[in-house]
Amino acid sequence: MSGSNLGDGSEEQVSGAAVLARALKAQDVQYMFGIVGIPVTEIAVAAQQLGIRYVGMRNEQAACYAASAVGYLTGRPLIVIGGSSERCQETMGAFQEFPQVEACRLYSKFSVRPSSIEAIPSIIEKAVRSSIYGRPGACYIDIPADFVNLQVNVNSIKYVECCMPPPISMAETSAVQKAASVLRNAKQPLLIIGKGAAYAHAEEGIRKLVEQCKLPFLPTPMGKGVIPDNHPNCVAAARSRALQFADVIVLFGARLNWILHFGLPPRYQPDVKFIQIDICAEELGNNVRPAVTLLGDINAVTKQLLEQFDKIPWQYPPESKWWNTLREKMKSNEAASKELASKKSLPMNYYTVFYHVQEQLPRDCMVVSEGANTMDIGRTVLQNYLPRHRLDAGTFGTMGVGLGFAIAAAIVAKDRNPGQRVICVEGDSAFGFSGMEVETICRYNLPIVLLVVNNNGIYQGIDTDSWKEMLKFGDATAMAPPMCLLPNAHYEQVMTAFGGNGYFVQTPGELQESLRKSLADTTKPSLINIMIEPQSMRKAQDFHWLTRSNM
Ligand SMILES: Cc1ncc(C[n+]2csc(CCOP(=O)(O)OP(=O)(O)O)c2C)c(N)n1
Ligand SMILES: [Mg+2]
């Protein structure tokens, strides 16, 4: 590490806040999301003065979601900076005293309080480096209140150069050869493209592998778009069938967690051979005993695999029984969705809504989504054509992420891809978690179109008439099913309250028209509140959701 001195050797003083901001800038931090207050206001001011884009949010949770989405989109994960109480008041019951470093250790790769202001630059470098090396993850830095305004001599601070980009690791050659051989002998192969592949920018290599070897593939929710959803080899519409009968499955940065049903029967063949490619060694072998494990950077390992197929070309026969089974299943599933989408009855169902939205989605738009049915059904209908263009509630299924994600995507779009739109598809319950971020969206005038798919509740709700009937019996809230939210809520008024466009729609025609207007208006954000049938559900599935419910 090389350091550089600031100043000219005089008695010039610098504050802890200024040192922190400068240290972040030295590590190429470009965006900061947060909420100011004692003791951190000065940090935001100092960051802004140095040209770091500070975005003031309405809730720290949403600020964290936004920063983590920027991390995913730019390859620079989340660094959380928390102001804590003054060191001299520790254990005395100071204002907001809490063991923050210990609390964050569980949730981060590196959690620390610098021992002095002089230590801040190297601690920030370590935090940024830890967050991007290996499997990426958040880091926490604790800044005691007294550090913020404490003045130190500028000459005592040594800034640290920006850390180097993560080193690229590759898999062992023998394992790569074995993987190629297992794949060549597959009767019913399947590739699963996960978020790790998107993060590693492995799109070019994976697409080459898919096309050269003529293999069927499935994206995970955040793997969507690594190869376009409308690629002829995408078998997403026959997902359950593909998982259930594949005999060799290659996982490109996709974990065998609940989203992939743990890799276990009855969703998979008991003897299915998994080839796992992952950057994280601890992930290899989770829940199943894999046939081959390839530890390394997903992009680099994909290229290693491609070399094997360049040396001895191979392709999976396109007219195999497996391809025919998958194609047939895709056809019947697509027909079932289309039939639901074409239903003319009102209120609309999810499929009708999403088919109309899909018709107008700009090809390069960023799709953000959260909710239960809203997200799950939306994911099957709304297409992604480009990598890293979808952000959803993902593995944790955390409600409340949507608006922060959308804000992050819109800010990155404004800087790097002007004109790009962000479409944020929210369930009505999901929207409520971070609804006040609409004010942030309006304050920064971000190019976001929010769609609230409103079924008056969590998974489902009840209609206005039934609600009124219940009111007749007195306290409706005592007997209303806990999934219910207030029927017919006018969420669009949250947007008009701050000067954006708001639409309340009940028919396909109104939806089409309001979406057209929202996309055409590049001067303001919009929110379309789409009323749907409160009991609208997913089409019948071959398997129950993992946790059965009697509701
Ligand atoms: C932070 C958090 N709290 C609670 C939940 C439980 N939960 C799962 S989905 C959901 C909301 C689903 O309703 P909505 O967003 O309206 O979508 P819908 O299924 O009705 O389309 C909730 C509250 C969660 N996943 N995360
Ligand atoms: Mg809902």
Side-chain angles (χ1 to χ4, degrees), residues 99-115:
Q100 296 176 182
V101 175
E102 290 91 322
C104 290
R105 195 158 283 144
L106 254 182
Y107 314 107
S108 62
K109 289 179 79 177
F110 178 62
S111 177
V112 76
R113 169 190 283 188
S115 58

Side-chain angles (χ1 to χ4, degrees), residues 45-351:
V45 172
Q48 215 172 24
Q49 279 169 356
L50 282 181
I52 294 176
R53 182 94 157 99
Y54 173 77
V55 182
M57 305 283 288
R58 300 302 301 260
N59 182 311
E60 283 88 351
Q61 276 179 300
C64 271
Y65 301 147
S68 71
V70 167
Y72 175 69
L73 297 173
T74 66
R76 301 300 300 267
L78 174 66
I79 307 293
V80 179
I81 297 171
S84 56
S85 47
E86 297 203 9
R87 286 168 302 166
C88 65
Q89 296 171 356
E90 218 159 77
T91 74
M92 295 173 69
F95 172 60
Q96 296 182 343
E97 182 181 329
F98 187 76
Q100 296 176 182
V101 175
E102 290 91 322
C104 290
R105 195 158 283 144
L106 254 182
Y107 314 107
S108 62
K109 289 179 79 177
F110 178 62
S111 177
V112 76
R113 169 190 283 188
S115 58
S116 64
I117 292 182
E118 287 77 5
I120 288 177
S122 58
I123 291 285
I124 293 288
E125 188 272 347
K126 180 162 175 165
V128 171
R129 184 161 38 84
S130 305
S131 75
I132 59 179
Y133 280 33
R135 178 193 270 175
C139 294
Y140 176 70
I141 314 278
D142 196 69
I143 301 291
D146 52 307
F147 272 16
V148 175
N149 291 317
L150 195 69
Q151 302 280 320
V152 294
N153 190 312
V154 287
N155 293 324
S156 66
I157 308 293
K158 306 266 181 290
Y159 289 94
V160 180
E161 262 183 81
C162 186
C163 64
M164 294 201 293
I168 305 289
S169 51
M170 300 217 274
E172 299 157 81
T173 311
S174 61
V176 180
Q177 286 165 345
K178 188 170 172 201
S181 143
V182 171
L183 199 50
R184 279 176 211 279
N185 290 308
K187 296 205 166 46
Q188 315 209 126
L190 177 68
L191 309 185
I192 299 183
I193 303 172
K195 180 170 63 189
Y199 194 86
H201 290 239
E203 50 268 17
E204 212 186 292
I206 297 181
R207 186 174 185 146
K208 217 169 150 203
L209 190 70
V210 162
E211 292 180 352
Q212 200 170 311
C213 301
K214 305 216 179 323
L215 293 163
F217 77 88
L218 263 183
T220 64
M222 298 267 286
K224 265 166 75 76
V226 168
I227 307 182
D229 282 337
N230 63 347
H231 191 283
N233 293 34
C234 178
V235 296
R239 182 180 186 273
S240 293
R241 189 60 56 98
L243 298 180
Q244 200 182 355
F245 295 106
D247 68 340
V248 171
I249 296 181
V250 191
L251 299 165
F252 292 87
R255 288 173 280 181
L256 286 179
N257 59 20
W258 68 273
I259 289 187
L260 286 176
H261 320 288
F262 312 110
L264 297 172
R267 304 297 304 255
Y268 293 81
Q269 291 299 302
D271 56 354
V272 54
K273 293 190 172 82
F274 282 105
I275 300 170
Q276 275 186 296
I277 310 175
D278 211 286
I279 188 130
C280 174
E282 288 82 354
E283 198 56 51
L284 303 170
N286 271 344
N287 304 325
V288 301
R289 193 178 172 86
V292 191
T293 55
L294 302 174
L295 176 64
D297 173 83
I298 292 161
N299 189 32
V301 176
T302 304
K303 287 186 179 144
Q304 287 182 283
L305 259 180
L306 271 170
E307 278 167 21
Q308 296 296 317
F309 293 111
D310 282 339
K311 266 193 226 149
I312 312 173
W314 168 78
Q315 46 167 264
Y316 182 69
E319 290 311 318
S320 60
K321 205 170 146 214
W322 178 227
W323 260 121
N324 291 339
T325 310
L326 293 172
R327 285 197 193 106
E328 262 167 40
K329 187 66 186 165
M330 284 199 287
K331 238 191 226 160
S332 66
N333 280 347
E334 279 161 2
S337 308
K338 276 215 175 93
E339 197 194 321
L340 280 163
S342 66
K343 286 230 157 81
K344 297 274 182 284
S345 56
L346 292 176
M348 293 181 275
N349 65 48
Y350 286 104
Y351 292 86

Side-chain angles (χ1 to χ4, degrees), residues 350 371-374 426-430 452-461 483 485 532 534:
Y350 286 104
N373 292 320
T374 295
E426 299 276 307
D428 54 327
S429 163
V452 176
V453 182
N454 191 350
N455 60 352
N456 304 338
I458 299 171
Y459 313 125
Q460 49 184 286
M483 288 114 86
L485 298 171
I532 65 163

Side-chain angles (χ1 to χ4, degrees), residues 341-407:
S342 66
K343 286 230 157 81
K344 297 274 182 284
S345 56
L346 292 176
M348 293 181 275
N349 65 48
Y350 286 104
Y351 292 86
T352 312
V353 168
F354 291 130
Y355 271 84
H356 287 297
V357 173
Q358 170 59 29
E359 276 174 359
Q360 292 194 43
L361 272 195
R363 191 177 179 279
D364 71 339
C365 75
M366 181 72 74
V367 178
V368 178
S369 188
E370 61 175 334
N373 292 320
T374 295
M375 180 172 73
D376 292 342
I377 301 171
R379 189 193 291 125
T380 66
V381 183
L382 303 177
Q383 303 278 295
N384 283 93
Y385 306 107
L386 296 164
R388 298 167 295 284
H389 278 58
R390 180 181 174 89
L391 293 162
D392 76 20
T395 315
F396 280 108
T398 311
M399 295 298 113
V401 294
L403 275 75
F405 282 2
I407 288 168

